[in-house]
Amino acid sequence: MTTAGQVLDALGARHAEAPLPAPAPRPRAPAPQTAASVSPALRAAVPSGVWPAGLLASAAWLGLGLLTLLWPNKSAGFSDWAFTEEFGIATLAVAALLFALGLLGTRAGRLSHALRPAGQWLVALAVVFAVWEAATAKLGVLPSPFFAPPQSLIDVVHEDWQRLGLSTAYSLRLLANGFVLGALAGFLTGVSIGWSRIAGYWVHPLLRFLGPVPASALLPLAFFFAPSSYVAAVFLVGLATFFPVAVLTWSGVASVHKSYYDVARTLGASERFLVLRVAIPAALPQVFVGLFMGLGASFSVLITAEMMGVKAGLGWYLQWAQGWAAYANMYAALFVMAALCSGLITLLFKVRDRVLSWQKGTVKW
């Protein structure tokens, strides 16, 4: 008689002898597109290494140069706009440079690599300058002296570069002092509110009540109580930076997941370690958001404070140029302000990328 064990042994042997089913074939990923797989028509349309946007930008700047040099300026009560010929020659030089970079493409090195993402912007910039030049110097649609052509900015830099440069240096000093002090005070306040219940109980209501008040609204009080106009301006710039940094730092510390603290406490972490090594690093992305917001707010307050009471700086330069009807100087100061603010924001982005390099891939802004 066959036992149950013998039957199971026989079934196992038969299963072992049976061949295993072949695995189903996996779908193959499409092969990467190489130079050999690109259609010959496409390769013939765009030569290898050529930068088409650079060539288009070169044509746009060439048109701007020809417009500036060949189209006579319209008389506006004086002889002519200075530096018109120099501006036209400079645009032709830019066109020649872009043409060379467009032909060389990737073989041009770092300069081509840096300018390639801005190819369409280079075209748009030439178009904007052409419209500006035609509407002011050539047609006079925008009347002088309220509107000046692009070459007038060269005249301002040539004639008044010392006063403009000194005003920029004064504004940078005032902005640095106010921004650093305000950011430091806001960071410490935000950490204390987010970590301590006592600080949150007493400081949070004051922050919500006084924080939304614009710093420029306190301008008369600041100039009355401060020992000097410079100290008052530093206080206002710092106050404009303080509120966004404090609020977003507080939000970042308060939103740290409790499991991080539990794990650190299990490993024997102290309260100081929890604040310095857990709460603050986790809140740094939101801290940098507050710094960006504070930089924009502080820059606007900086110009207002300089126009009201400070005797130097870009805000003072704007008021001085307006008082003398030197509108070209005013436009030059506006361009310097835009370049200064953009450069500071770019620098802050670099600092953020370096500080938060350990969070690369998680920070999306």
Side-chain angles (χ1 to χ4, degrees), residues 183 186-191 194 244-254 283 286-287 290:
F187 176 76
L188 295 177
T189 303
V191 171
V245 174
V247 169
L248 285 163
T249 303
W250 158 53
S251 175
V253 173
Q286 289 182 272
V287 173

Side-chain angles (χ1 to χ4, degrees), residues 58 90 188 242 290:
S58 174
L188 295 177
F242 168 81

Side-chain angles (χ1 to χ4, degrees), residues 189-190 192-212 242-243 246-248 250-251 254:
T189 303
S192 62
I193 295 176
W195 182 259
S196 173
R197 292 184 179 181
I198 298 177
Y201 178 81
W202 289 105
V203 182
H204 183 209
L206 296 176
L207 195 64
R208 294 186 62 180
F209 181 73
L210 297 177
F242 168 81
F243 178 66
V247 169
L248 285 163
W250 158 53
S251 175

Side-chain angles (χ1 to χ4, degrees), residues 110-135:
R110 295 182 178 179
L111 183 58
S112 176
H113 181 73
L115 292 179
R116 186 174 289 267
Q120 297 180 3
W121 277 105
L122 292 173
V123 177
L125 186 62
V127 173
V128 169
F129 273 121
V131 174
W132 183 7
E133 177 73 18

Side-chain angles (χ1 to χ4, degrees), residues 178 182 210-211 213-216 218 234-244:
L210 297 177
V213 177
S216 56
L218 303 177
V234 170
F235 169 75
L236 293 174
V237 172
L239 185 63
T241 309
F242 168 81
F243 178 66

Side-chain angles (χ1 to χ4, degrees), residues 83-355:
F83 292 95
T84 299
E85 184 177 355
E86 289 80 357
F87 177 68
I89 295 174
T91 56
L92 293 179
V94 173
L97 176 62
L98 291 175
F99 182 75
L101 294 177
L103 288 180
L104 295 175
T106 56
R107 294 169 293 177
R110 295 182 178 179
L111 183 58
S112 176
H113 181 73
L115 292 179
R116 186 174 289 267
Q120 297 180 3
W121 277 105
L122 292 173
V123 177
L125 186 62
V127 173
V128 169
F129 273 121
V131 174
W132 183 7
E133 177 73 18
T136 52
K138 306 305 179 183
L139 296 175
V141 176
L142 300 177
S144 61
F146 303 102
F147 299 95
Q151 56 264 32
S152 64
L153 303 181
I154 304 176
D155 190 13
V156 171
V157 174
H158 179 264
E159 297 291 337
D160 203 29
W161 65 269
Q162 291 183 344
R163 184 184 288 112
L164 185 59
L166 189 61
S167 299
T168 305
Y170 275 112
S171 293
L172 274 175
R173 187 186 67 170
L174 176 58
L175 181 65
N177 291 333
F179 180 77
V180 171
L181 293 176
L184 183 60
F187 176 76
L188 295 177
T189 303
V191 171
S192 62
I193 295 176
W195 182 259
S196 173
R197 292 184 179 181
I198 298 177
Y201 178 81
W202 289 105
V203 182
H204 183 209
L206 296 176
L207 195 64
R208 294 186 62 180
F209 181 73
L210 297 177
V213 177
S216 56
L218 303 177
L219 199 66
L221 294 176
F223 280 105
F224 179 78
F225 287 105
S228 65
S229 59
Y230 181 80
V231 175
V234 170
F235 169 75
L236 293 174
V237 172
L239 185 63
T241 309
F242 168 81
F243 178 66
V245 174
V247 169
L248 285 163
T249 303
W250 158 53
S251 175
V253 173
S255 62
V256 177
H257 203 278
K258 293 183 178 180
S259 61
Y260 296 161
Y261 300 131
D262 295 337
V263 172
R265 287 191 181 98
T266 303
L267 298 175
S270 61
E271 292 294 316
R272 182 178 179 180
F273 184 91
L274 292 177
V275 174
L276 297 179
R277 304 299 297 272
V278 179
I280 292 178
L284 279 180
Q286 289 182 272
V287 173
F288 274 97
V289 176
L291 290 175
F292 279 101
M293 296 178 63
L295 181 60
S298 63
F299 201 84
S300 61
V301 174
L302 166 75
I303 301 304
T304 304
E306 288 179 339
M307 294 181 70
M308 296 297 295
V310 179
K311 301 304 181 182
L314 291 173
W316 171 87
Y317 189 88
L318 272 177
Q319 193 175 27
W320 170 83
Q322 185 179 4
W324 286 94
Y327 294 99
N329 297 64
M330 187 177 67
Y331 295 141
L334 291 175
F335 271 97
V336 172
M337 289 179 188
L340 182 62
C341 188
S342 177
L344 291 175
I345 290 177
T346 304
L347 178 62
L348 192 55
F349 266 112
K350 297 291 185 182
V351 174
R352 184 213 64 175
D353 294 340
R354 178 65 62 87
V355 174

